[in-house]
Amino acid sequence: MDEIKVVPYIPDEDYDNPAMVVDFYEFTMANCLFLHGFKDTTLVFDMFFRKNPDNQGYSISAGQRKLTRFLLNYHFNAQDIWWLRTKGMSEEFCEYLRTYQWKGDMYALPEGTVAYPHVQMVRIECDLVGAILIETYLLQTMNFHSLIATKATRVTGLNTHTPRSVMEFGTRRAQGESAGNDGAYAAVLGGCVGTANCLAEMKFGAEVKAVGTVAHSFIEFFPTEFDAFKAFADTYPDSVSLLLDTYNIMESGLPNLIKLDDYLIEKYPNDPNRRVKSARIDSGDLARGSKRLRKALDAAGKPYIKLVASNGLDEKKIANMELYEHAHFDSYGVGENLITSASDPVFGGVYKLVAVKQPDGSYTPKMKCSDSASKAIIPGKKMPWRLYDENGQAQCDLIAMDDEVIEAGKPVTMVNLDSDAIERTVTITPTKVKKLLVPHVLNGQLAIELPSIAEKKAYIAKQLTEETWESELRLECPHKHYVNMTPAVAECRSKMYAELHGGNLFFIEIENSYSGKVVFDVETRLPVSHKKDAKLHGLGISNIQRCAKKYMGDIDIVLSDTGNKKRFNLTIMMYGKISHP
């Protein structure tokens, strides 16, 4: 290694290069592997998550647009190289980064796709430097966008098929400027009609519309509340929206609202558009206030004035007001509970190495191992599929090897990813199938026409309305979406897990025919005997499982039904370190 001449780095608070949004260990790893001659080795990483926010039944995958733009513009500047030298990176590595361009492949779910735990959101295939150094930015981008878009679908009622008009009001409570901008974008994807954030509209266009009227300070500035209302209406006669709770909603705000609307009618008698459009309340008992205001406005002959609510709202508070208190709001402003996803503020996406490409073009699977086989990641270069029933609804997601083909109208045998599932193996015949990952970047070049925000909003709404089981969308105790593996993926995973735990591995496979239907016990997850004295039968399999687990093994039961042939397969997997005298 050449001697590094270090010139002290001068900090610059105004400097910004997204490529340097990197956890330092990514540089130390890349530099080490580079110096050991692996710079041209191609790695495959999967980005996925293990739990839906708030333990709900689904998530929305978002952030692909920003991630794509990041990869297309990926580069290092002289200032970056200068700093890296001061941090002990080798001269050879620094010179390599000086002209480095990202030339990898990014496959991802289309932005706005309904997503489920363990199913890849993004698959990266790139030289090791490009694959390793993008981890932090990729996770930061996908995690945050997905978190806010998912929350927004619940706040806007898309998940319960009761869409409501919601404005994103959380910029001032966001965790920094970028969170305010990206959060506004993601909230609109999830169904919001606008944002309070001006910069968001400047960045993303009119589809992320900036909205808003006045604060309490504006009302307080004038001698009277009516003076404030009149000043605003004279300035913006076509978009009069007022705030009623600065002093007293019913005794001051409401009378002045009616007085102002009468003033506009007198001033613009032939222009019905120049009337009070809406009134917002931001404190007190919102549900009760809405009913009293609606009744009073209707009695005054002003049913066209809409009511808006804000103040610490989220999806549960809104639903409770609507369902149990019969609140009459036309729209809502939702702030900190949306922009921070306050009820569950972390989307736990991870980025894991799953394969290394060999010189002959094959892929060697890799696995981060765990003490629990059920929590071990799924190795190999894979492609997830979504399988649909005759009603067009998603029955399950299926994780397959990248070269496997799943066909509609043909039986598909799958292994449930949940090791505690009663029926671990199942065969279905899907009406329609869809590959979930699509190429966004190939060899460093854009490979997709990025859809508009309006198209992505419509895509999300269509999935939640037409393609997702309602039981997965409910707020309480949602159904867990089925995520399965092909037998090839399941075998690769179990064998690698056994090998990584050290020891000789062998399988005992027993196959037999059967008739009728096999019923599994809910607690033991083992078959139940059909004989009358069932308690005295079926002990063999239970004992086999007990013995296998005693020696770090397990059993797997696979049922296959190919029409006139029903097969019961019992696989005993044994592994463990063998000690020698």
Side-chain angles (χ1 to χ4, degrees):
M1 185 187 299
D2 295 340
E3 181 182 352
I4 301 176
K5 297 179 180 179
V6 178
V7 177
Y9 177 77
I10 302 173
D12 181 358
E13 290 188 43
D14 296 322
Y15 183 67
D16 182 30
N17 179 9
M20 291 300 291
V21 180
V22 178
D23 286 334
F24 187 63
Y25 79 93
E26 294 160 29
F27 276 123
T28 62
M29 291 190 298
N31 181 55
C32 177
L33 292 168
F34 176 90
L35 292 175
H36 282 77
F38 297 111
K39 73 177 179 67
D40 295 322
T41 301
T42 297
L43 308 181
V44 181
F45 278 82
D46 282 347
M47 182 265 167
F48 61 94
F49 63 103
R50 295 189 175 100
K51 183 182 79 70
N52 292 313
D54 290 304
N55 293 312
Q56 294 296 295
Y58 72 96
S59 294
I60 299 297
S61 176
Q64 288 87 336
R65 176 183 179 275
K66 186 173 183 178
L67 179 59
T68 298
R69 288 165 55 86
F70 165 75
L71 295 177
L72 295 175
N73 192 42
Y74 191 82
H75 67 281
F76 293 96
N77 298 321
Q79 197 163 342
D80 308 323
I81 305 303
W82 177 13
W83 182 82
L84 287 169
R85 285 195 178 104
T86 70
K87 298 296 289 185
M89 299 299 107
S90 68
E91 188 64 22
E92 299 93 326
F93 182 57
C94 288
E95 283 303 309
Y96 177 72
L97 291 183
R98 186 185 296 279
T99 58
Y100 182 83
Q101 290 182 308
W102 204 84
K103 294 295 184 181
D105 297 343
M106 169 194 161
Y107 279 70
L109 301 177
E111 187 161 33
T113 298
V114 173
Y116 300 100
H118 301 289
V119 179
Q120 307 110 290
M121 279 191 177
V122 181
R123 188 183 76 197
I124 295 293
E125 183 171 349
C126 188
D127 63 84
L128 71 85
V129 171
I132 290 173
L133 295 184
I134 66 170
E135 175 182 359
T136 300
Y137 188 93
L138 182 152
L139 287 174
Q140 182 187 79
T141 299
M142 296 300 298
N143 282 338
F144 183 70
H145 282 76
S146 299
L147 179 71
I148 304 307
T150 302
K151 183 72 169 180
T153 61
R154 302 204 305 269
V155 172
T156 60
L158 291 181
N159 64 318
T160 53
H161 302 168
T162 55
R164 55 179 71 99
S165 176
V166 176
M167 297 165 284
E168 185 279 305
F169 275 6
T171 308
R172 63 188 59 195
R173 303 283 172 82
Q175 316 290 14
E177 178 187 327
S178 63
N181 296 328
D182 291 340
Y185 167 86
V188 168
L189 288 188
C192 288
V193 298
T195 175
N197 187 342
C198 297
L199 184 56
E201 180 175 339
M202 294 178 69
K203 289 171 72 71
F204 304 116
E207 290 174 314
V208 185
K209 183 180 179 181
V211 296
T213 55
V214 300
H216 294 110
S217 58
F218 179 86
I219 309 296
E220 295 167 19
F221 175 80
F222 287 87
T224 69
E225 187 175 50
F226 181 76
D227 289 335
F229 286 2
K230 183 175 179 296
F232 189 83
D234 287 339
T235 306
Y236 308 104
D238 295 312
S239 54
V240 181
S241 183
L242 304 174
L243 182 60
L244 297 187
D245 66 328
T246 302
Y247 302 117
N248 185 294
I249 295 174
M250 300 306 295
E251 295 182 10
S252 177
L254 174 63
N256 284 320
L257 168 66
I258 293 173
K259 181 179 178 182
L260 179 73
D261 194 59
D262 290 340
Y263 163 76
L264 291 172
I265 292 173
E266 182 179 350
K267 186 174 182 179
Y268 307 105
N270 300 318
D271 191 349
N273 186 56
R274 292 189 166 184
R275 304 289 184 266
V276 174
K277 297 292 197 303
S278 63
R280 177 167 65 98
I281 56 175
D282 187 54
S283 61
D285 186 332
L286 298 179
R288 183 168 181 266
S290 75
K291 289 184 283 187
R292 295 180 69 194
L293 284 170
R294 184 75 278 152
K295 183 178 180 180
L297 290 171
D298 289 351
K302 303 184 183 298
Y304 48 84
I305 298 179
K306 299 183 181 300
L307 296 179
V308 183
S310 58
N311 187 27
L313 297 174
D314 62 14
E315 66 270 34
K316 290 187 177 180
K317 291 179 181 178
I318 293 173
N320 286 339
M321 286 197 301
E322 293 175 341
L323 292 173
Y324 303 118
E325 300 182 80
H326 308 292
H328 299 292
F329 286 110
D330 299 285
S331 60
Y332 300 90
V334 181
E336 66 268 24
N337 290 322
L338 171 55
I339 202 68
T340 66
S341 186
S343 57
D344 193 350
V346 176
F347 193 92
V350 295
Y351 184 74
K352 299 297 182 182
L353 176 68
V354 294
V356 176
K357 189 174 184 180
Q358 301 303 315
D360 64 359
S362 64
Y363 292 85
T364 300
K366 295 292 179 179
M367 176 189 238
K368 182 262 181 185
C369 207
S370 167
D371 289 337
S372 169
S374 64
K375 293 183 179 179
I377 69 166
I378 306 172
K381 183 179 178 182
K382 306 173 295 296
M383 171 61 68
W385 297 70
R386 188 154 290 168
L387 280 55
Y388 296 85
D389 61 19
E390 63 276 8
N391 298 318
Q393 292 190 305
Q395 285 182 287
C396 66
D397 284 7
L398 177 61
I399 301 173
M401 288 300 185
D402 192 52
D403 57 358
E404 291 187 277
V405 178
I406 312 300
E407 298 182 73
K410 293 187 177 181
V412 181
T413 297
M414 302 173 290
V415 180
N416 196 315
L417 187 59
D418 183 359
S419 59
D420 292 327
I422 294 177
E423 292 189 64
R424 188 75 198 280
T425 303
V426 65
T427 299
I428 67 171
T429 302
T431 303
K432 184 181 80 168
V433 300
K434 180 173 69 175
K435 275 187 176 183
L436 288 181
L437 300 183
V438 300
H440 285 60
V441 179
L442 293 176
N443 195 31
Q445 301 297 312
L446 183 65
I448 188 175
E449 183 177 342
L450 295 173
S452 68
I453 292 173
E455 289 171 329
K456 285 179 278 196
K457 287 185 69 173
Y459 174 54
I460 292 173
K462 181 178 186 297
Q463 291 173 92
L464 295 178
T465 303
E466 302 176 11
E467 299 178 9
T468 308
W469 287 356
E470 288 187 1
S471 57
E472 294 176 5
L473 301 176
R474 60 189 179 222
L475 292 175
E476 301 296 334
C477 301
H479 167 72
K480 184 178 180 181
H481 184 79
Y482 297 117
V483 176
N484 302 317
M485 302 174 284
T486 62
V489 171
E491 182 179 6
C492 176
R493 187 191 195 206
S494 61
K495 284 186 175 181
M496 281 203 71
Y497 180 82
E499 292 166 357
L500 289 169
H501 272 71
N504 293 341
L505 169 71
F506 68 90
F507 292 86
I508 301 173
E509 294 188 358
I510 304 168
E511 180 181 294
N512 204 350
S513 60
Y514 73 96
S515 61
K517 179 177 176 61
V518 177
V519 178
F520 289 83
D521 184 89
V522 175
E523 294 184 1
T524 66
R525 315 288 181 177
L526 296 177
V528 176
S529 174
H530 289 288
K531 296 185 178 181
K532 292 182 179 179
D533 51 348
K535 290 185 178 181
L536 299 178
H537 293 274
L539 301 178
I541 294 179
S542 176
N543 285 332
I544 291 171
Q545 183 186 57
R546 180 175 56 81
C547 292
K549 288 189 173 183
K550 180 178 179 180
Y551 296 100
M552 297 180 63
D554 208 343
I555 69 171
D556 193 23
I557 298 172
V558 176
L559 304 178
S560 59
D561 184 354
T562 57
N564 58 353
K565 240 183 206 183
K566 291 185 175 182
R567 294 291 181 184
F568 181 99
N569 294 76
L570 172 65
T571 301
I572 307 168
M573 180 177 67
M574 300 293 294
Y575 52 89
K577 293 184 179 178
I578 296 178
S579 58
H580 298 277

